[in-house]
Amino acid sequence: MNNYSYISHLECPKCGEIYKGDHIYQLCKCGSPLLVRYDLEKVKENVSREEIANRTNSLWRYHELLPIQQQKNVVTLGEGMTPFEKLPSLGAEFGLNHLYIKDEGVIPTGSFKTRGASVGISKAKELGVKHLAMPTNGNAGAAWALYAAKADIKATIVMPLDAPQITRKEVYIAGGNLHLIDGLISDAGKVVSSLVQNYGVYDASTLKEPYRIEGKKTMGYEIVEQFGWKVPDVILYPTGGGVGIIGIYKALLELQQLGWIEDKKLPRLVAVQAEGCAPIVEAWNKGEIESKFFENSTTCAFGINVPKAIGDFLVLKGIYDTEGCAIAISEEEILRTQKLIASLEGNFVCPEGAATFAAARILHEQGWIDANEHVVCLNTGSGLKYPETVVIEGVETIKPGQEILLNI
Amino acid sequence: MNNYSYISHLECPKCGEIYKGDHIYQLCKCGSPLLVRYDLEKVKENVSREEIANRTNSLWRYHELLPIQQQKNVVTLGEGMTPFEKLPSLGAEFGLNHLYIKDEGVIPTGSFKTRGASVGISKAKELGVKHLAMPTNGNAGAAWALYAAKADIKATIVMPLDAPQITRKEVYIAGGNLHLIDGLISDAGKVVSSLVQNYGVYDASTLKEPYRIEGKKTMGYEIVEQFGWKVPDVILYPTGGGVGIIGIYKALLELQQLGWIEDKKLPRLVAVQAEGCAPIVEAWNKGEIESKFFENSTTCAFGINVPKAIGDFLVLKGIYDTEGCAIAISEEEILRTQKLIASLEGNFVCPEGAATFAAARILHEQGWIDANEHVVCLNTGSGLKYPETVVIEGVETIKPGQEILLNI
């Protein structure tokens, strides 16, 4: 073992089965996703928070806590350490005195999916993968196709016709093997399963390889580091496949074990969904530990249009364990909030991100979030990828030489 | 004077006139843009490179060398310290052993214009500006409208109808006063001039306020810092209004004066233009010190469709002084190179950025760049803002349940 990574093994969170970290594994024999475990005692002995603070300005600053064993296998476009900023004007509007954005729009490929792609592709390269396949709601496929291109791995991407248009162009320009499907991500998932069975390609579907989550957990590390190695009171996350929230929860537990955060109480994790696709919210409302397939799902926040997530039980566990909650937001509220954020704070967020801010406002109004709590909303991507969410009205075109009248 | 900024005064690079740094000035009486000067001796005494290395991960780490006097006036979305990465595969393809990208797509609002907007708007706020107006080829207007929204400054933005569609949506969602014009940026400039005259609004046109360039020069600081406080041999920049290249040149001279770079020889600066709009290239070819209006200009790299830049003489001076050059790239070559970069390195660059890589290849083939020189190409924005540059061909839509055949 070198000390670039302190990966120890893979573990099934359902049945407890253990697997080695240097072979290709997908799901556990029992059907559950696998989680990566590290020798945290060794990390504690060999790495300090101060050392990390002086390192490269990307998620690779946490390399001991990532699964790549040889640095030469790292596939990077400089991703991570995204902005973490206080939003005083929006906070005042909402009655929240300590409202923050973690802005995952400011990252290569323009969405948080990049983290999973960078770590997932790096590990795939290390494991000798030559061809992978994945279903996607757009952003993940775009990120994986671009990183796969850099790693010289073939990528077959199956994407709903309704996914954001720009994401299919990202796959295409990367030279990915792009397929559009007239259906949902669950339909795309079935196509990919059959490719995996028929051709033996690597299954890069959400949580069917154990490494994507390791990339996404770095959002949790960064929030804590950027917050001065403390934890906020509440973290709100837009939840589709749920890997983001699972990853952040995993990161917080690891940081506790490392003694890098002193807080005994973890942030309350909030899964934010759209009213048009709210399987986790329905399960949470009923106190259940798994979700049911959400029929006829639809939302402009396309990234969270996931009717049944394979990791739903892990998302729900994270919420219950931290005394968090789940909440669904209407389409109208998502778009209204997106505009409010841009006009008050200058952040052009994606609709999924806008939903978390709407949720913060509503939960404060309901008394679930106190005015003085420290609240972090995850914006998972750039509004640039969702041009259709902005409809311009009342703007006229002028001719050269024509004058404008100002109302001042 | 506090020590957040060591700004000293404004200076005219043409006639030498001096102005104070704490009043609103636009152009010099002689018609030239003004440049900001600092007390570099005091900076040298009070700040070290090591201190800067430990600071915030944004362009504000260089605050002593920026014109904002009170930190409370800083308007930030976490911009700067963008990725600087070696591109080994593309380098091998081109025969260049040390090819680097400075990736300005990974920044709030998705283009390098954000740097100018952050510093320009911060200073406008400090100077008490309430309403500004600017002509734009899209990205600058988008950035200024979003930062103006955050600073609670009204922004009137005049943009050609042909500018990237997403940029008008950014202005709109920010609540900016958007006007589209059926013409070029030069036509938009005339409209803005008349607004400035009729209403006394602040003129935020390129180089008509002295602070935008201060934001953009930070690209120069970052390249040097990320390169280990050394300078590369060649920097290639896509050149429209030219503020980027002027800013980088200014930054290099300041770093030399500070003694923060030991190299006596500065990088050769290359202005890259499109064949459809190449006024600087024409002037350089003739050895002239100013450019002529380029008639009927057109290019898909819309950001560099500037037929006559007000700072052309400063761009040309930067090129001559550093023994650089100017080169024009065809539309076909721009788009071919954009695809090549994505498929080899995973970077989805904008067409303006792609042009600089094409230029590096051609200049190497011509013997102007040696295979072992360290070459930095500036990608000025994200490909996400230019969806029309990617035309998808040969992708069929499948139905749920339909199988895919792989050729492996």
Side-chain angles (χ1 to χ4, degrees), chain B residues 107-346:
Chain B
I107 200 166
T109 92
S111 94
F112 80 113
K113 299 285 184 177
T114 294
R115 295 180 187 267
S118 179
V119 173
I121 290 284
S122 297
K123 191 67 190 180
K125 183 179 168 189
E126 188 158 275
L127 294 171
V129 169
K130 299 291 173 213
H131 195 140
L132 62 83
M134 76 187 302
T136 176
N137 268 345
N139 283 322
W144 281 70
L146 284 158
Y147 281 80
K150 191 166 179 76
D152 204 16
I153 293 173
K154 278 189 193 163
T156 293
I157 308 290
V158 189
M159 183 188 291
L161 212 49
D162 290 341
Q165 294 270 331
I166 189 71
T167 60
R168 64 172 79 163
K169 297 197 169 190
E170 293 174 87
V171 175
Y172 185 81
I173 198 168
N177 179 24
L178 171 66
H179 294 270
L180 300 172
I181 188 164
D182 191 8
L184 290 177
I185 190 171
S186 41
D187 301 304
K190 286 173 199 157
V191 174
V192 167
S193 291
S194 115
L195 288 180
V196 170
Q197 216 166 3
N198 297 340
Y199 295 94
V201 296
Y202 186 65
D203 193 345
S205 309
T206 305
L207 292 172
K208 288 193 181 168
E209 59 76 57
Y211 304 107
R212 183 201 290 212
I213 183 178
E214 295 303 295
K216 293 192 181 169
K217 78 175 180 187
T218 58
M219 286 185 287
Y221 293 162
E222 290 179 18
I223 289 171
V224 169
E225 184 179 350
Q226 290 171 319
F227 202 61
W229 298 104
K230 287 183 299 180
V231 299
D233 298 296
V234 182
I235 298 177
L236 298 103
Y237 205 91
T239 306
V243 184
I245 204 165
I246 300 169
I248 289 174
Y249 184 48
K250 184 172 190 280
L252 293 168
L253 293 175
E254 288 172 352
L255 291 175
Q256 254 185 350
Q257 276 191 266
L258 286 163
W260 289 2
I261 45 178
E262 278 113 53
D263 312 74
K264 293 258 158 42
K265 195 173 170 348
L266 290 182
R268 310 199 298 283
L269 298 177
V270 179
V272 180
Q273 300 201 298
E275 285 183 356
C277 184
I280 300 287
V281 177
E282 288 195 349
W284 182 79
N285 279 334
K286 295 179 190 157
E288 286 170 1
I289 58 167
E290 285 192 18
S291 67
K292 292 199 174 57
F293 190 95
F294 196 95
E295 298 291 341
N296 304 314
S297 64
T298 175
T299 168
C300 71
F302 203 76
I304 52 175
N305 190 347
V306 180
K308 163 76 181 169
I310 188 171
D312 56 356
F313 71 102
L314 293 169
V315 174
L316 286 158
K317 183 168 164 34
I319 299 173
Y320 292 130
D321 285 359
T322 61
E323 298 175 348
C325 70
I327 181 171
I329 309 297
S330 72
E331 298 297 292
E332 195 189 350
E333 193 58 37
I334 288 173
L335 295 174
R336 201 187 70 81
T337 307
Q338 187 195 31
K339 183 150 176 51
L340 189 67
I341 299 165
S343 62
L344 287 177
E345 297 286 0

Side-chain angles (χ1 to χ4, degrees), chain A residues 130-397:
Chain A
K130 300 289 174 215
H131 196 141
L132 62 83
M134 75 187 304
T136 177
N137 268 346
N139 283 323
W144 282 70
L146 284 158
Y147 281 80
K150 192 167 179 74
D152 204 15
I153 292 173
K154 277 188 194 167
T156 292
I157 309 291
V158 189
M159 182 187 293
L161 213 47
D162 290 341
Q165 293 271 331
I166 189 71
T167 60
R168 65 172 77 163
K169 297 197 170 192
E170 292 174 88
V171 175
Y172 186 81
I173 199 168
N177 179 23
L178 171 66
H179 295 270
L180 299 172
I181 188 163
D182 190 7
L184 290 177
I185 190 170
S186 42
D187 301 304
K190 287 172 197 157
V191 174
V192 167
S193 291
S194 115
L195 287 181
V196 171
Q197 216 166 4
N198 297 341
Y199 296 94
V201 296
Y202 186 64
D203 192 345
S205 308
T206 305
L207 292 172
K208 288 194 181 168
E209 59 77 55
Y211 305 106
R212 183 200 293 213
I213 183 179
E214 296 304 296
K216 293 192 182 170
K217 78 175 180 187
T218 58
M219 285 185 288
Y221 293 162
E222 289 179 19
I223 289 170
V224 169
E225 184 179 350
Q226 290 170 320
F227 202 61
W229 298 103
K230 287 183 300 179
V231 300
D233 297 296
V234 183
I235 298 177
L236 299 103
Y237 205 91
T239 306
V243 184
I245 203 165
I246 300 169
I248 288 174
Y249 184 47
K250 183 172 191 280
L252 292 168
L253 292 174
E254 288 171 352
L255 291 175
Q256 254 185 348
Q257 277 191 266
L258 286 164
W260 289 2
I261 45 178
E262 277 113 53
D263 313 73
K264 293 257 158 40
K265 193 172 171 351
L266 290 183
R268 310 199 297 284
L269 298 178
V270 179
V272 180
Q273 299 201 298
E275 285 184 357
C277 184
I280 300 287
V281 177
E282 286 195 350
W284 181 78
N285 279 334
K286 294 178 189 157
E288 286 169 0
I289 58 166
E290 284 191 18
S291 66
K292 291 199 175 58
F293 190 95
F294 196 95
E295 298 291 343
N296 304 314
S297 64
T298 174
T299 168
C300 71
F302 203 77
I304 53 176
N305 190 348
V306 181
K308 164 77 180 168
I310 187 171
D312 56 357
F313 71 101
L314 293 169
V315 174
L316 285 158
K317 183 168 164 31
I319 299 173
Y320 293 130
D321 285 359
T322 61
E323 298 176 346
C325 70
I327 181 171
I329 309 297
S330 73
E331 298 297 292
E332 195 189 349
E333 193 59 38
I334 288 173
L335 295 175
R336 200 187 70 81
T337 306
Q338 187 195 30
K339 183 150 176 51
L340 190 67
I341 299 165
S343 62
L344 287 177
E345 297 286 1
N347 300 97
F348 181 22
V349 304
C350 66
E352 296 85 348
T356 65
F357 289 94
R361 179 184 62 73
I362 294 166
L363 289 171
H364 171 54
E365 283 168 13
Q366 294 176 351
W368 195 88
I369 298 178
D370 185 77
N372 282 319
E373 290 194 296
H374 290 82
V375 179
V376 177
C377 289
L378 257 294
N379 173 43
T380 43
S382 172
L384 297 176
K385 302 193 88 170
Y386 299 77
E388 69 289 352
T389 58
V390 184
V391 180
I392 294 182
E393 284 167 359
V395 172
E396 280 172 34
T397 301

Side-chain angles (χ1 to χ4, degrees), chain A residues 79-92:
Chain A
E79 55 290 319
M81 288 307 279
T82 56
F84 177 78
E85 302 285 340
K86 195 165 184 180
L87 302 184
S89 304
L90 190 70

